[in-house]
C-alpha cells in the first residue's frame, strides 16, 4: 500500500523543483506523488507519477483531449468538475481516473447518479487540501460542507477518493498526519483517510506502471 499525494505542481508550474518536492514528500511520510505539469521526472528513490489535467465543458471535448499525446503519456488523468450533466458524463470516460476541484462545483453537481456511475467505472473524486488550508470564513465552510456531501455519497456508493495537497511549493506540502487532521474537519475517519491516500495505486495498476525514479 503506497501512500500518495495525488497532486503536486512542481516547477515550472510551481515554485519548487520536482526533486525537492519529492524529498519533502518522503520526509512527510509519503511513498509517492503525482506531479502535474511538464516537470522532468527526476526524484531520488520516490515513486513519481505524471499527472495531466483536462478542463472542458463537455464529454465530447474530454474524449477529444484524452487522445492528445501529452494526456496519453500521463499516468493519472484528472478532469476538472463541472455541472451535474458534465460530471455524470465524464465519469464514464474510461481514460479518466479522477474528477477534481469538486469544491468549486455547484452543490449537488455530483449527485447519486454520478456517484453510482463513478463506482461502477472506478473513477475517483479528489479531496484537495487547498480550500481547507487557504480559504477563510464562509468560503472555507462551503468547501468543508461540499467535502462532507461527497463523503456521504462515497460511503453509500463506494467510489474511490484521492487526497491531494495541490502544493505548488514545499511550503504548501503537508504531512500524512496533518492530512488526517484536516480531513477529520469534514468527518473522515482515520481508516477512510488511509484508504484515500492509498487509492492512486489501485487506479493506475495494472494498466499503467508506476515509474521508480533513481537518484
Amino acid at each position: 500500500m503506497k501512500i500518495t499525494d495525488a497532486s503536486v505542481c512542481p516547477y515550472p508550474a510551481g515554485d519548487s523543483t520536482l526533486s525537492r518536492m519529492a524529498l519533502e514528500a518522503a520526509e512527510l511520510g509519503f511513498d509517492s506523488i503525482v506531479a502535474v505539469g511538464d516537470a522532468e521526472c527526476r526524484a531520488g528513490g520516490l515513486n513519481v507519477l505524471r499527472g495531466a489535467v483536462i478542463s472542458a465543458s463537455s464529454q465530447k471535448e474530454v474524449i477529444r483531449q484524452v487522445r492528445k499525446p501529452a494526456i496519453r503519456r500521463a499516468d493519472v488523468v484528472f478532469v476538472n468538475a463541472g455541472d451535474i450533466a458534465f460530471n455524470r458524463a465524464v465519469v464514464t470516460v474510461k481514460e479518466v481516473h479522477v474528477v477534481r476541484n469538486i469544491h468549486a462545483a455547484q452543490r449537488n453537481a455530483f449527485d447519486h447518479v454520478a456517484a453510482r456511475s463513478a463506482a461502477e467505472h472506478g473513477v475517483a473524486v479528489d479531496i484537495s487540501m487547498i480550500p481547507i488550508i487557504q480559504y477563510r470564513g464562509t468560503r472555507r465552510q462551503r468547501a468543508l460542507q461540499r467535502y462532507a456531501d461527497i463523503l456521504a455519497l462515497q460511503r453509500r456508493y463506494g467510489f474511490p477518493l484521492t487526497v491531494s495537497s495541490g502544493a505548488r511549493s514545499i511550503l504548501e506540502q503537508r504531512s500524512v498526519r496533518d492530512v488526517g487532521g484536516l480531513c477529520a474537519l469534514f468527518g473522515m475517519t482515520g481508516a477512510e483517510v488511509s484508504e484515500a491516500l492509498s487509492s492512486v495505486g489501485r487506479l493506475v495498476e495494472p494498466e499503467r506502471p508506476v515509474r521508480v525514479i533513481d537518484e
Side-chain angles (χ1 to χ4, degrees):
M1 180 179 73
K2 289 184 170 61
I3 303 301
T4 304
D5 184 338
S7 178
V8 300
C9 300
Y11 182 85
D15 299 328
S16 300
T17 64
L18 176 57
S19 59
R20 184 66 185 89
M21 296 186 85
L23 289 171
E24 185 71 12
E27 292 176 3
L28 293 173
F30 290 91
D31 303 306
S32 59
I33 56 176
V34 180
V36 174
D38 297 325
E40 290 294 327
C41 289
R42 297 287 185 273
L46 197 85
N47 289 333
V48 177
L49 296 95
R50 189 184 301 276
V53 177
I54 295 174
S55 292
S57 58
S58 69
Q59 182 190 34
K60 183 178 180 180
E61 175 63 14
V62 172
I63 293 172
R64 188 185 70 81
Q65 290 199 41
V66 296
R67 296 170 179 164
K68 293 181 177 180
I71 304 297
R72 293 173 67 87
R73 287 195 300 269
D75 299 297
V76 184
V77 176
F78 300 87
V79 174
N80 288 327
D83 62 21
I84 187 169
F86 176 83
N87 294 335
R88 286 178 174 181
V90 78
V91 295
T92 67
V93 179
K94 66 178 182 178
E95 292 86 356
V96 171
H97 295 103
V98 185
V99 175
R100 72 171 206 159
N101 284 358
I102 199 68
H103 64 275
Q106 294 182 350
R107 190 171 187 182
N108 300 324
F110 197 90
D111 65 352
H112 68 283
V113 175
R116 185 184 296 111
S117 188
E120 291 172 353
H121 292 86
V123 175
V125 175
D126 184 58
I127 302 296
S128 171
M129 297 294 98
I130 291 176
I132 303 178
I133 296 169
Q134 298 184 8
Y135 293 1
R136 297 292 181 269
T138 301
R139 194 181 182 201
R140 185 173 187 262
Q141 289 303 315
R142 189 178 297 118
L144 288 170
Q145 183 57 57
R146 193 72 193 90
Y147 286 160
D149 293 342
I150 292 296
L151 181 60
L153 287 170
Q154 193 279 331
R155 287 170 173 171
R156 180 173 181 181
Y157 294 103
F159 56 85
L161 295 175
T162 60
V163 179
S164 65
S165 68
R168 304 181 74 85
S169 78
I170 59 172
L171 300 177
E172 296 177 353
Q173 292 178 259
R174 293 295 183 271
S175 69
V176 172
R177 181 177 180 179
D178 287 344
V179 167
L182 291 168
C183 289
L185 294 174
F186 58 90
M188 283 188 83
T189 66
E192 288 171 332
V193 173
S194 295
E195 179 76 9
L197 286 171
S198 63
S199 66
V200 169
R202 293 189 295 275
L203 291 173
V204 302
E205 295 174 349
E207 295 180 345
R208 295 174 180 175
V210 176
R211 291 193 297 268
V212 178
I213 309 300
D214 297 323
E215 293 184 2

